[in-house]
């Protein structure tokens, strides 16, 4: 077996040029052909390697590298052909060809399994079609995203600018918490947006009302159905009515459940409804009172006239009969005053309303009360206030305030009889109402408050907490009629039920004149 040294031994060999008889035209033809072919071969791998290095996203990068190695080996065989024209290194040339054969065989073996995968690659037409479809899909997706953003913006605008108070509450391990609220919600409860986020109903409501609301939240989640109810709360200007709607939202992928709620203050609507009923009822009572007053006025006047005449015919020494006739005259005068008040209750509001300062009428009424009650040892105070233009008749507003002051005085005096050490104070204030464009005239006393037995009928005619013979029960109804005639209303509430300052506060809530309200 020949050795490796013998394979590369060139002593007994002649260069390839000898076979060409050293003819120049043949030599240079072979040299030029092999040189150009070799250079071309070696330039191709450079291009393939640059492509493979710069395009890291090629599907089969190793195929480019294998082709580059194969072509480099083929180019080397051509350069060896040039070398062997003058140098008989046929062993080296054979070794280069052997390496080329091995690389060629490996490349061929690797390409056959690759063939179906290469054929499966999309053609330029397929790529163009796919690219066109992708472009259309991207455009449609962008259009859908734009519509979604527009819809989201509209919903956000609706949520933000809705007049009703809207909120989203989430049910977590720690209980219910507000996740977002709209500006109307913040205005309704007079609370900053940041303070309410993450807080529960107890941040806004009294413990009992908060517990009721959480029970409604729980019931809505348990049933999975919308809930709709109405509730009432005590406010500074009387009872307020709230209409609440709860709707369960679809659960998040993480299992978080939420409720969407709306809260509307329907106090004015309920007041209007009650006003319609009250107006019809008062009209009926007024018609009855007017009829009774008309029918009784003449007999009462005749009784008084004849009693006065009879008293004049009695001698001075007849003390008993004269005293009896004086009692009859006092009672007829009292009955006449009662009949006159009944006529006032049935009388329509006096026409000719004008704009005037409500504070001037309040000042006048308080000054009259102070002078009349000097001996009663009742402290009557009037808080400082600004002007409050309203429409109506100043005398009627002064009369309404006097009715409230008289009612407060009677309550204070009655409590003094039961509790001599109880404070005797009446505080009057004029302030801006809770509703824009309104003014509230409040009369607060320390008379112990309105008894629960008559609380629901306190403003009705002939209802009074005084002892029999001490009141007619028409003062507050007359004040209600005057307030209604001015476009307002009368509200009341007990204050400090168990303390020494226990009493009641009556509020005349009147609309400001048009210019001031604007």
């Amino acid at each position: 077996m020949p050795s490796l040294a013998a394979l590369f031994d060139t002593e007994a060999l002649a260069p390839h040029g000898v076979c060409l008889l050293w003819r120049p035209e043949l030599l240079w033809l072979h040299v030029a052909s092999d040189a150009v072919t070799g250079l071309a071969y070696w330039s191709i791998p450079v291009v393939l390697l640059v492509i493979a290095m710069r395009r890291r996203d090629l599907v089969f990068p190793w195929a480019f590298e294998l082709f580059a190695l194969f072509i480099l080996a083929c180019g080397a065989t051509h350069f060896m052909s040039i070398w062997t024209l003058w140098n008989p290194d046929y062993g080296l040339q054979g070794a280069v060809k052997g390496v080329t054969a091995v690389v060629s065989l490996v490349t061929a073996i690797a390409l056959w399994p690759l063939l179906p995968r290469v054929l499966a690659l999309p053609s330029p037409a397929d790529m163009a079609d796919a690219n066109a479809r992708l472009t259309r899909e991207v455009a449609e997706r962008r259009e859908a995203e734009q519509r979604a953003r527009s819809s989201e913006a509209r919903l956000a605008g609706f949520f933000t600018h809705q007049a009703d108070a809207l909120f989203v509450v989430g049910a977590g391990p720690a209980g219910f918490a507000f996740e977002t609220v709209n500006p109307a919600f913040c205005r309704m409860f007079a609370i900053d947006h940041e303070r309410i986020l993450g807080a529960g109903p107890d941040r806004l409501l009294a413990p009992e009302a908060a517990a009721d609301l959480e029970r409604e939240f729980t019931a809505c989640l348990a049933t999975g159905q919308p809930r709709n109810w109405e509730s009432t709360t005590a406010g500074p200007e009387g009872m307020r009515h709230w209409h609440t709607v709860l709707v369960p939202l679809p659960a998040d992928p993480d299992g978080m459940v939420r409720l969407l709620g709306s809260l509307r203050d329907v106090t004015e609507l309920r007041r209007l409804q009650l006003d319609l009923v009250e107006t019809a009822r008062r009209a009926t009572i007024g018609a009855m009172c007017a009829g009774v007053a008309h029918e009784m006025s003449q007999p009462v006047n005749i009784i008084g006239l004849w009693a006065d005449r009879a008293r004049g015919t009695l001698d001075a020494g007849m003390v008993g009969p004269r005293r009896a006739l004086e009692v009859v005259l006092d009672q007829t005068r009292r009955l006449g005053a009662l009949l006159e008040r009944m006529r006032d209750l049935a009388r329509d509001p006096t026409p000719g309303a004008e704009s005037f300062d409500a504070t001037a009428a309040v000042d006048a009424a308080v000054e009259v009360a102070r002078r009349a009650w000097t001996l009663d040892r009742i402290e009557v105070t009037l808080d400082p206030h600004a002007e409050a233009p309203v429409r109506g008749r100043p005398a009627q507003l002064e009369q309404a305030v006097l009715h409230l002051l008289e009612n407060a005085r009677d309550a204070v005096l009655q409590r003094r009889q039961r509790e001599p050490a109880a404070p005797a104070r009446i505080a009057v204030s004029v302030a801006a109402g809770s509703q824009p464009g309104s003014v509230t005239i409040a009369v607060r006393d320390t008379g112990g408050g309105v008894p629960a037995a008559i609380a629901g009928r306190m403003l009705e005619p002939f209802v009074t907490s005084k002892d029999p013979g001490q009141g007619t029960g028409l003062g507050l109804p007359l004040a209600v009629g005057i307030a209604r005639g001015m476009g307002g209303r009368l509200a009341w509430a007990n204050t400090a039920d168990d303390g020494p300052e226990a009493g009641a506060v009556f509020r005349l809530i009147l609309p400001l004149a048009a210019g001031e309200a604007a």
Side-chain angles (χ1 to χ4, degrees):
M1 181 177 180
S3 63
L4 185 62
L7 180 63
F8 291 98
D9 183 18
T10 60
E11 290 296 332
L13 300 176
H16 191 235
V18 174
C19 298
L20 300 178
L21 302 178
W22 301 108
R23 291 174 55 182
E25 67 276 12
L26 291 176
L27 288 174
W28 289 113
L29 177 61
H30 281 272
V31 169
S33 299
D34 286 329
V36 171
T37 303
L39 291 174
Y41 269 132
W42 282 13
S43 67
I44 293 174
V46 175
V47 175
L48 293 177
L49 290 175
V50 170
I51 293 175
M53 293 176 62
R54 295 189 178 183
R55 289 295 303 272
R56 297 296 182 180
D57 57 343
L58 293 175
V59 181
F60 309 110
W62 58 269
F64 282 78
E65 297 170 358
L66 194 59
F67 265 107
L69 183 61
F70 163 69
I71 296 173
L72 280 175
C74 291
T77 60
H78 287 276
F79 286 114
M80 285 305 299
S81 296
I82 298 174
W83 176 261
T84 56
L85 287 175
W86 288 277
N87 302 286
D89 293 320
Y90 299 115
L92 179 60
Q93 184 182 25
V96 171
K97 288 183 177 181
V99 172
T100 303
V102 172
V103 173
S104 301
L105 181 61
V106 172
T107 303
I109 294 173
L111 282 180
W112 280 105
L114 193 63
L115 181 60
R117 300 172 62 185
V118 172
L119 293 177
L121 292 176
S123 65
D126 295 334
M127 293 293 292
D129 183 60
N131 189 45
R133 290 197 305 270
L134 183 60
T135 302
R136 289 194 300 270
E137 183 179 347
V138 170
E140 292 173 357
R141 183 178 295 273
R142 288 178 178 174
E143 183 179 356
E145 291 177 353
Q146 182 62 34
R147 289 197 302 268
R149 284 194 294 268
S150 300
S151 177
E152 184 178 355
R154 285 194 299 271
L155 290 176
F158 172 80
F159 188 85
T160 301
H161 301 293
Q162 176 71 10
D164 293 346
L166 302 179
F167 61 90
V168 175
V169 63
F176 295 98
F178 292 101
E179 294 188 356
T180 182
V181 297
N182 69 340
F185 189 97
C186 299
R187 290 193 299 269
M188 180 176 292
F189 290 98
I191 189 171
D192 294 335
H193 187 267
E194 291 75 14
R195 289 188 58 200
I196 187 59
L197 297 185
D202 54 348
R203 177 71 62 84
L204 304 174
L205 304 172
E208 183 177 353
D212 292 340
L213 186 58
E214 290 189 353
R215 281 194 291 270
E216 293 290 344
F217 289 166
T218 303
C220 185
L221 289 178
T223 61
Q225 298 295 325
R227 294 186 68 82
N228 186 333
W229 78 96
E230 201 170 293
S231 56
T232 58
T233 59
E237 295 186 356
M239 300 301 294
R240 302 196 69 83
H241 299 262
W242 308 94
H243 180 235
T244 309
V245 177
L246 282 179
V247 178
L249 298 177
D252 286 350
D254 57 358
M256 182 69 175
V257 290
R258 294 176 175 84
L259 299 173
L260 172 64
S262 71
L263 186 64
R264 176 180 295 180
D265 187 353
V266 294
T267 304
E268 292 303 320
L269 176 61
R270 295 295 173 260
R271 283 173 182 163
L272 287 175
Q273 294 172 343
L274 291 176
D275 284 348
L276 291 175
V277 176
E278 182 67 15
T279 300
R281 193 174 66 86
R282 289 177 66 86
T284 303
I285 294 176
M288 181 190 69
C289 290
V292 172
H294 176 73
E295 295 296 332
M296 293 184 62
S297 293
Q298 187 173 2
V300 169
N301 290 335
I302 293 175
I303 292 172
L305 178 62
W306 282 100
D308 188 51
R309 286 184 179 183
R311 186 181 60 175
T313 61
L314 295 176
D315 294 335
M318 303 178 68
V319 178
R322 290 180 66 87
R323 177 59 182 163
L325 289 175
E326 287 176 358
V327 171
V328 172
L329 288 173
D330 288 342
Q331 293 302 316
T332 54
R333 282 192 291 269
R334 181 171 179 271
L335 184 56
L338 175 61
L339 293 175
E340 185 60 30
R341 283 201 170 190
M342 290 174 65
R343 289 193 185 94
D344 291 339
L345 187 65
R347 194 171 290 132
D348 292 333
T350 305
E354 60 184 78
S355 294
F356 66 95
D357 184 10
T359 59
V362 175
D363 291 341
V366 171
E367 187 61 28
V368 170
R370 282 173 175 169
R371 291 180 180 179
W373 305 338
T374 303
L375 300 179
D376 291 333
R377 295 179 291 110
I378 297 177
E379 179 186 356
V380 182
T381 62
L382 177 61
D383 294 342
H385 50 265
E387 293 185 358
V390 295
R391 284 193 63 80
R393 297 185 66 84
Q396 288 186 339
L397 180 58
E398 183 178 344
Q399 179 187 3
V401 176
L402 279 173
H403 284 313
L404 299 183
L405 289 170
E406 290 175 355
N407 186 72
R409 169 183 173 269
D410 294 340
V412 170
L413 292 179
Q414 281 187 321
R415 187 184 183 191
R416 179 183 290 171
Q417 293 177 356
R418 303 188 307 269
E419 306 174 32
R425 282 191 293 272
I426 299 175
V428 183
S429 63
V430 181
S434 61
Q435 298 293 329
S438 66
V439 62
T440 299
I441 303 170
V443 177
R444 185 186 302 269
D445 62 62
T446 57
V450 177
I454 62 171
R457 303 178 291 115
M458 188 61 192
L459 302 182
E460 295 182 3
F462 308 111
V463 176
T464 178
S465 61
K466 303 180 183 67
D467 295 332
Q470 299 298 318
T472 62
L474 293 177
L476 291 179
L478 288 174
V480 170
I482 293 172
R484 291 179 185 275
M486 297 178 65
R489 57 188 177 88
L490 176 64
W492 70 274
N494 285 333
T495 59
D497 293 337
D498 300 327
E501 299 294 328
V505 55
F506 287 81
R507 295 181 175 88
L508 276 171
I509 304 168
L510 304 174
L512 292 172
E516 183 68 18

